[in-house]
Amino acid sequence: METVLITGGSGLIGKHLTLMLLNEGFEVIHLSRKKNSTQGIRVFEWNPEKNFVDTKALNEADHIIHLAGATVAKYWTASYKKKLINSRVKTARLLFDYLSQNQNKVKSFISSSAVGYYGNGEDQWLEEQEKPGNDFLSEICLRWEEGAREFEDLNKRVAIIRTGIVLAREGGTLPSLNKALRFGIAPIFGGGNQYYPWIHIHDVCRIYHFALSNSSVSGVFNAVAPDPVRFRDLMNSIGEAAGKRKLNFPVPPLVLKIILDGFGHSLLNSLRCSSQKIEDAGFRFRYPQLKDALRDLL
């Protein structure tokens, strides 16, 4: 039985992925700031700000899945921007430093990233070889991925998962959008014509499992469904799946900027991301179409 160490295991993807890997026969352990047992698994403590990590976790790990990172869905003050980067980059550096200085049995390092890497792609299909955008989210993702690639210098297999907007019942974007629909209002960010790179929570966890289980999988992969839709169409589909009558309510870019600063601006980016590379590697989506995903979730 191989042991998978997950950072950020208490997050939305981390919780679902932990259960999936346990069901697939893996031993799963977490690194967390609080040493509390969750989901019946062992939790080891770390504190990246103090450069502390319980090395027992790293000594046990056969694979590391790096999901740690502060949420981007907040107002971006200067101090919070620093936290967004450090929570991804400094945490990876802490792991790298220990593995580079000590014997270990880690075979692979699988790191989360995000489709925010691309910036605003407008209507262009975005494949993994595209250059990064020029906004702050792009900078975060670029530095995130640079930190992950360093593990190749330690002869570890590295896979980077550029995750889209995860749709799930209990967290992420969908509950917030569905909540507005309960009041008969569908918020439409900007003109609503921007492409929205969604993915079902089950499929994104299956992509991580696919990358973990296939030693030939390395490099960068978009974790998005094959059917990106425009934001306005997404809201219409959610309303239909939930059986809700609604009134589309445009939210001007200026309002988003005032309320959410840089994060609000990122909601206007159009990301028509391609899933072709992960499919060419042999992955098959359980929920390739939005209507099927929403039917399952709602």
Side-chain angles (χ1 to χ4, degrees), residues 223-239:
V224 296
D227 180 36
V229 298
R230 297 185 189 273
F231 185 75
R232 182 184 298 275
D233 296 330
L234 171 75
M235 293 305 303
N236 290 336
S237 296
I238 294 175

Side-chain angles (χ1 to χ4, degrees), residues 90-261:
K90 191 172 183 178
T91 50
R93 168 54 65 173
L94 178 59
L95 301 177
F96 176 88
D97 286 345
Y98 178 82
L99 295 181
S100 66
Q101 297 167 17
N102 298 274
Q103 287 189 340
N104 61 83
K105 58 176 182 174
V106 174
K107 303 173 186 176
S108 60
F109 184 83
I110 301 171
S111 177
S112 178
S113 182
V115 294
Y117 173 93
Y118 301 107
N120 185 6
E122 299 181 345
D123 288 352
Q124 174 188 356
W125 278 103
L126 299 171
E127 299 181 342
E128 289 82 351
Q129 72 273 15
E130 297 293 335
K131 294 181 179 180
N134 55 12
D135 60 14
F136 181 64
L137 269 185
S138 301
E139 179 187 349
I140 293 175
C141 294
L142 182 62
R143 294 181 61 179
W144 203 352
E145 295 181 13
E146 288 174 345
R149 286 195 179 95
E150 289 187 346
F151 287 79
E152 293 176 342
D153 297 336
L154 305 180
N155 295 316
K156 313 300 183 187
R157 178 173 64 93
V158 173
I160 297 171
I161 312 299
R162 286 183 188 154
T163 307
I165 308 303
V166 178
L167 300 183
R169 292 187 185 94
E170 72 280 23
T173 301
L174 185 58
S176 298
L177 296 178
N178 194 35
K179 184 177 181 180
L181 289 175
R182 294 176 186 172
F183 299 97
I185 297 174
I188 305 297
F189 303 142
N193 292 319
Q194 63 272 35
Y195 276 97
Y196 200 83
W198 66 274
I199 186 169
H200 191 291
I201 181 65
H202 188 64
D203 275 335
V204 74
C205 291
R206 288 178 62 241
I207 287 177
Y208 276 99
H209 175 248
F210 181 80
L212 177 68
S213 304
N214 291 272
S215 59
S216 61
V217 173
S218 62
V220 181
F221 297 88
N222 289 337
V224 296
D227 180 36
V229 298
R230 297 185 189 273
F231 185 75
R232 182 184 298 275
D233 296 330
L234 171 75
M235 293 305 303
N236 290 336
S237 296
I238 294 175
E240 291 173 7
K244 302 290 186 181
R245 292 184 178 182
K246 62 178 180 60
L247 174 67
N248 287 351
F249 182 79
V251 182
L254 181 59
V255 173
L256 290 172
K257 171 68 175 178
I258 292 173
I259 297 175
L260 292 171
D261 192 54

